Amino acid sequence: MLHPGDAISARRRTLYILLLGALTALGPFTIDLYLPAFPLLESDFQTTAAAIQLTLTGTMIGFAIGQLVVGPLSDKVGRRIPLISVTALHVIASVAAALAPDLVLLGTARVFMGIGAAAGGVVAMAIVRDLFGGRRLVVMLSRLALVSGVAPVVAPLAGSALLAVMDWRGIFVVLACYGGVMLVSGLFFIPETLPKERRQDRGSSTVLQRYKSVFSDRVFVGVLIIGGMTFSGLFSYLSASSFLFQQTHGLDAQQYGLLFAANSIGLVIGVQTSSRLAARFGPQWVLAFSTVALLLSGLAIIVTDQLGLGLWGTVIPLFLFMTSCGFTFPCVQVLALDRHGKAAGTAASVLGASNNGVAAIISPIVFLIAGAGGVTATTMASVMVGCAVIGILSLWLIVRPRTVGMLTP
């Protein structure tokens, strides 16, 4: 038995997938569930689209900061204490957001919601790495990657459905309830997978030493950049899409949500196919394909928009872009975590913080490029193409696929 998870029954592995998947989805739902309400927030607070977008940026910054704290802490004190403590903060902040009387207080609450949602994804990935390795790690992480990839796309669909029966404040009440369910699950159903005897000794487990161990790994740094760029490209689409499709193309909130549902199919296809190909050929070679596909689909969006092909001219290459994201995410996670089992929490936190922190900085560029003319498919895709180019350069200049060995059985 190479890893503790090898002795776990298939039924218990399924339970872990469900619980850890729900934890992983808490972050994306916290970030994206209120995207369809952006025009309503703009109207209610009598402000600009850029100001509303800053509440999203604040959430992602909080999410990144929270992960950088939770990850190393979970390596030191175990997985459960950080999970329970930070998820409780999420519940409190969600209630505060629902009651916020102005945009400043809403933005502040959103930062703390981001911090509170941080534990889910980090601890879930760390627990999987505690229990599994090799090709089984690929399978388990692909399930989490499916959730983390699909959740940002499904969340606006759910938000659109909620807006049909409640106002935007009700969305934050729903998020508080979601966080409460995860808090109860952490208390009663998620075990401690990093017992005291497996935690590092004090002399080799300081935060700086753990960060040094991951950042001194060239492959980790390379896939960190690829993951951050892929997520930034995806989030440029997510943050701009409500304005692009509802204001430019005239879709209502429900039609906008259905569009996201269609795109989620591409992510599912990408993730499920990627896990099989990565186990057989190696995740580094799947990335060689998917990063080029991200670039080509982004360029296709620009071309179709400039040719005036309308809504479908944007939607079809967007589907290909989302499918390419599905191919990329699980491979990034596998290459990052498989090499750092002793610092899984730290590695997962750096990966998650990089994704969200970089995306928080890059996604507003769409609005800066658009200016007073409003968001178009070309301005959105320009950022997506730039991110894809950086990802390709990182793969071939830093990761260097030919130097990466195959996964263990």
Side-chain angles (χ1 to χ4, degrees), residues 90-406:
H90 176 274
V91 176
I92 296 171
S94 298
V95 173
L99 300 175
D102 56 53
L103 191 59
V104 173
L105 291 178
L106 175 62
T108 302
R110 289 292 292 169
V111 171
F112 284 101
M113 284 180 70
I115 295 173
V122 169
V123 172
M125 281 197 289
I127 288 175
V128 169
R129 186 59 188 90
D130 289 341
L131 298 175
F132 304 101
R135 293 181 181 177
R136 183 162 280 170
L137 177 65
V138 174
V139 174
M140 295 298 290
L141 283 179
S142 72
R143 303 297 184 263
L144 295 187
L146 176 62
V147 173
S148 60
V150 172
V153 181
V154 173
L157 173 62
S160 298
L162 290 173
L163 286 175
V165 296
M166 62 181 66
D167 63 9
W168 62 264
R169 295 183 186 275
I171 289 178
F172 295 115
V173 174
V174 171
L175 285 171
C177 295
Y178 186 175
V181 171
M182 291 299 95
L183 180 60
V184 172
S185 297
L187 285 169
F188 296 105
F189 300 110
I190 298 177
E192 179 58 71
T193 57
L194 190 66
K196 290 182 179 180
E197 59 271 17
R198 289 180 55 200
R199 297 169 198 167
Q200 295 169 302
D201 295 332
R202 178 174 296 180
S204 60
S205 64
T206 66
V207 171
L208 290 178
Q209 287 171 327
R210 286 193 291 272
Y211 278 126
K212 182 180 179 180
S213 72
V214 296
F215 280 111
S216 61
D217 178 6
R218 168 181 55 81
V219 174
F220 179 88
V221 172
V223 297
L224 189 70
I225 296 172
I226 295 170
M229 289 300 103
T230 303
F231 194 80
S232 295
L234 171 64
F235 207 82
S236 295
Y237 157 52
L238 294 178
S239 62
S241 60
S242 61
F243 299 103
L244 174 64
F245 292 118
Q246 292 188 73
Q247 295 182 353
T248 302
H249 291 291
L251 301 183
D252 61 29
Q254 284 66 45
Q255 292 171 329
Y256 167 72
L258 288 173
L259 179 64
F260 268 85
N263 279 330
S264 69
I265 297 173
L267 270 169
V268 172
I269 293 171
V271 169
Q272 294 305 303
T273 307
S274 175
S275 63
R276 291 171 171 81
L277 294 177
R280 181 175 180 181
F281 299 107
Q284 67 272 26
W285 297 113
V286 177
L287 288 176
F289 159 79
S290 66
T291 50
V292 172
L294 287 168
L295 174 61
L296 294 177
S297 55
L299 289 172
I301 295 172
I302 296 175
V303 171
T304 56
D305 185 49
Q306 292 302 306
L307 292 175
L309 298 184
L311 177 64
W312 287 106
T314 299
V315 169
I316 292 174
L318 261 177
F319 181 87
L320 299 177
F321 182 87
M322 301 297 286
T323 303
S324 303
C325 288
F327 274 94
T328 304
F329 289 137
C331 294
V332 166
Q333 292 178 357
V334 169
L335 286 175
L337 295 182
D338 187 56
R339 304 166 67 88
H340 295 285
K342 293 183 178 180
T346 301
S349 70
V350 171
L351 187 62
S354 173
N355 285 351
N356 290 277
V358 172
I361 295 171
I362 291 179
S363 59
I365 295 176
V366 175
F367 296 90
L368 294 177
I369 296 175
V375 174
T376 67
T378 297
T379 57
M380 177 186 72
S382 297
V383 177
M384 295 157 63
V385 167
C387 292
V389 169
I390 296 173
I392 292 172
L393 293 175
S394 178
L395 177 67
W396 292 103
L397 298 180
I398 301 176
V399 176
R400 303 199 294 271
R402 293 183 181 88
T403 68
V404 180
M406 297 297 290

Side-chain angles (χ1 to χ4, degrees), residues 17-67:
I17 289 172
L18 292 175
L19 291 178
L20 297 180
L23 273 172
T24 302
L26 178 61
F29 267 79
T30 296
I31 293 170
D32 298 331
L33 192 65
Y34 82 136
L35 288 180
F38 271 20
L40 296 177
L41 288 165
E42 183 181 356
S43 175
D44 283 1
F45 288 116
Q46 295 295 299
T47 187
T48 63
I52 297 299
Q53 204 276 338
L54 285 177
T55 67
L56 183 61
T57 299
T59 309
M60 296 182 69
I61 291 174
F63 194 57
I65 293 172
Q67 289 180 92

